[in-house]
Amino acid sequence: DIVAAEDAQWGVARSHSARFNPKFEQKSPNGMRCFLRGEVALSETVAPSDSGRGLVEAFQVEGVEGLQRAHGAFCGVFVDEASSTLTIFNDRLGSYPLYWATDKDGFFLGASVLDVLRLMGARMSLDTSAAVELLLYGFVMAERTLTRNVRLLEPGTTMSFRWADGSSRATCYAEPRVWFSQERRSWHERRSEVLDAFKTAVERATHGNHRLTISLSGGLDSRTILSAMSPARTPFTSFTCGVDGNADQVVGAQLAGAKGVRHTVFRHDARVVDDLLENLSWMVRHTDGMYLSHGLTEIQDVGSLASWDADVLIRGHGGELAKMGHAWPFHVDRAIHSMGSNDALADYLTGRLGFISTEQQRAEIVAPELLADMPTTKALLADVLAKAKVSPLDGCSYLYLYQHHRRFT
């Protein structure tokens, strides 16, 4: 799908699956356009809409504040020809990656770094501090990517570009600190609020005429979601992955039987090792190489899932946050409880998270000219924590929820 202005001032295209958005473009009564990916509900209790019509009307009337009412997993583009402005946006957690760059020829956006570079006709210029950050922490933070001239839109953010004068402006519409408010409520009040929000979120996410499936392999998230799903209201299937006879296979079959849903097993075999290098190369290309995997089986699972009777996978993120004392590698311990500054937390986490933590490992893996960036990388972590405006105790939850999970998804 391609939509472009008659005067060639702007153009938007998509090549991804349109399961959630069969209609590519929506217009408001005043002519503003919206190109949406994902699902949006303009109320916590309203079923998501695949059109984006309400979203573009809210944005035109209320501006960025209109996005504060949007719930779901989504990203997209608003085009307002009256003001010569193109605005990209995403949801509060940055669920869909949206990369952007500017140069003398204009503003470029895409679903991957390579997309943006191709549109610009540019070559990759390695951001060495981001590369070191990847090696130290296992992921890159904030808006940085491994390419100096391409950025990733941060969660809950809009980026507007005026093609009339080439100006651009980023605006955060969902501050992270609101997730960590310190309101005085009882444990029972908090528990009731969490349960209500969870139930509503599951109902909203499972709404629609999709062929849903859920993985029952190992996940606290997925098994909790399963408990709230109703096959009578919304039919779905389930599956597990792993070597034949593993514990997940046994438990998953029992859970599926209790729910009365159709279940299958994706068995891991020798291909996991035989195809490792080929699959690793594929995974790096499709994730822009910005995360280090602890597993070797993802690509085989993706291939198995493609043959299963489903077109939407229900997933959860952040279940570890329910028990932060065990949320490795962002678990909260006594040392973090006693910290008084985010600088101290940055120092502490740098020592804990290091994928290459010893001096000998660094000397063997990292080029001498990059070693100088190690202290700078720690400062970048401290800066990310400072901008979040959360306490050291909440800093681990913030990093997991806002920085870590969107790079690993």
Side-chain angles (χ1 to χ4, degrees), residues 338-359:
S338 63
M339 285 180 185
S341 72
N342 283 322
D343 286 339
L345 180 61
D347 283 335
Y348 189 65
L349 291 181
T350 298
R352 177 196 286 177
L353 294 175
F355 272 69
I356 49 169
S357 55
T358 70
E359 294 296 333

Side-chain angles (χ1 to χ4, degrees), residues 120-346:
M120 298 174 70
R123 299 187 64 179
M124 178 178 178
S125 174
L126 181 67
D127 185 331
T128 55
S129 63
V132 171
E133 189 175 19
L134 174 69
L135 292 172
L136 272 179
Y137 305 128
F139 63 104
V140 184
M141 286 174 278
E143 65 174 10
R144 293 184 291 280
T145 73
L146 295 179
T147 306
R148 288 185 184 277
N149 51 344
V150 179
R151 290 290 177 257
L152 174 63
L153 187 67
E154 293 207 64
T157 298
T158 66
M159 171 64 71
S160 296
F161 174 80
R162 294 191 73 248
W163 61 79
D165 59 15
S167 61
S168 59
R169 178 184 179 185
T171 303
C172 177
Y173 71 84
E175 291 284 352
R177 64 175 179 270
V178 303
W179 293 73
F180 303 100
S181 62
Q182 300 297 320
E183 297 179 15
R184 292 185 178 276
R185 286 172 293 177
S186 70
W187 183 88
H188 293 286
E189 288 174 326
R190 289 179 179 272
R191 182 178 182 274
S192 177
E193 183 179 343
V194 169
L195 289 175
D196 289 343
F198 174 70
K199 180 181 178 181
T200 299
V202 172
E203 290 177 351
R204 188 174 63 237
T206 56
H207 176 84
N209 298 318
H210 306 299
R211 291 180 296 128
L212 304 175
T213 193
I214 187 169
S215 169
L216 301 181
S217 283
L220 172 65
D221 296 325
S222 60
R223 295 180 185 185
T224 307
I225 292 171
L226 177 71
S227 70
M229 294 178 70
S230 170
R233 185 182 68 244
T234 306
F236 65 95
T237 60
S238 64
F239 66 91
T240 54
C241 310
V243 296
D244 203 19
N246 69 83
D248 282 342
Q249 181 177 331
V250 176
V251 174
Q254 292 175 347
L255 292 171
K259 274 289 184 178
V261 300
R262 190 157 61 94
H263 181 78
T264 193
V265 176
F266 301 148
R267 290 174 173 82
H268 294 162
D269 52 35
R271 289 175 298 164
V272 171
V273 177
D274 294 342
D275 301 336
L276 175 60
L277 293 181
E278 179 183 348
N279 286 343
L280 185 61
S281 297
W282 187 94
M283 189 160 58
V284 168
R285 290 197 307 273
H286 286 77
T287 61
D288 298 308
M290 287 191 293
Y291 87 95
L292 301 182
S293 173
H294 289 281
L296 307 175
T297 63
E298 290 97 331
I299 305 306
Q300 187 172 344
D301 295 337
V302 169
S304 299
L305 191 56
S307 63
W308 182 227
D309 181 24
D311 57 16
V312 174
L313 173 64
I314 296 295
R315 300 185 65 195
H317 291 293
E320 291 83 352
L321 298 181
K323 205 170 185 180
M324 279 304 296
H326 298 275
W328 185 91
F330 299 101
H331 51 284
V332 174
D333 56 19
R334 290 182 179 179
I336 293 176
H337 271 278
S338 63
M339 285 180 185
S341 72
N342 283 322
D343 286 339
L345 180 61

Side-chain angles (χ1 to χ4, degrees), residues 381-398:
L381 174 57
D383 185 56
V384 165
L385 290 166
K387 288 181 178 178
K389 300 177 183 178
V390 296
S391 67
L393 188 58
D394 289 328
C396 288
S397 297
Y398 163 78

Side-chain angles (χ1 to χ4, degrees), residues 74-92:
F74 58 86
C75 71
V77 183
F78 295 125
V79 177
D80 185 6
E81 293 183 304
S83 63
S84 302
T85 303
L86 181 149
T87 301
I88 61 175
F89 60 91
N90 59 10
D91 63 65
R92 302 168 189 227

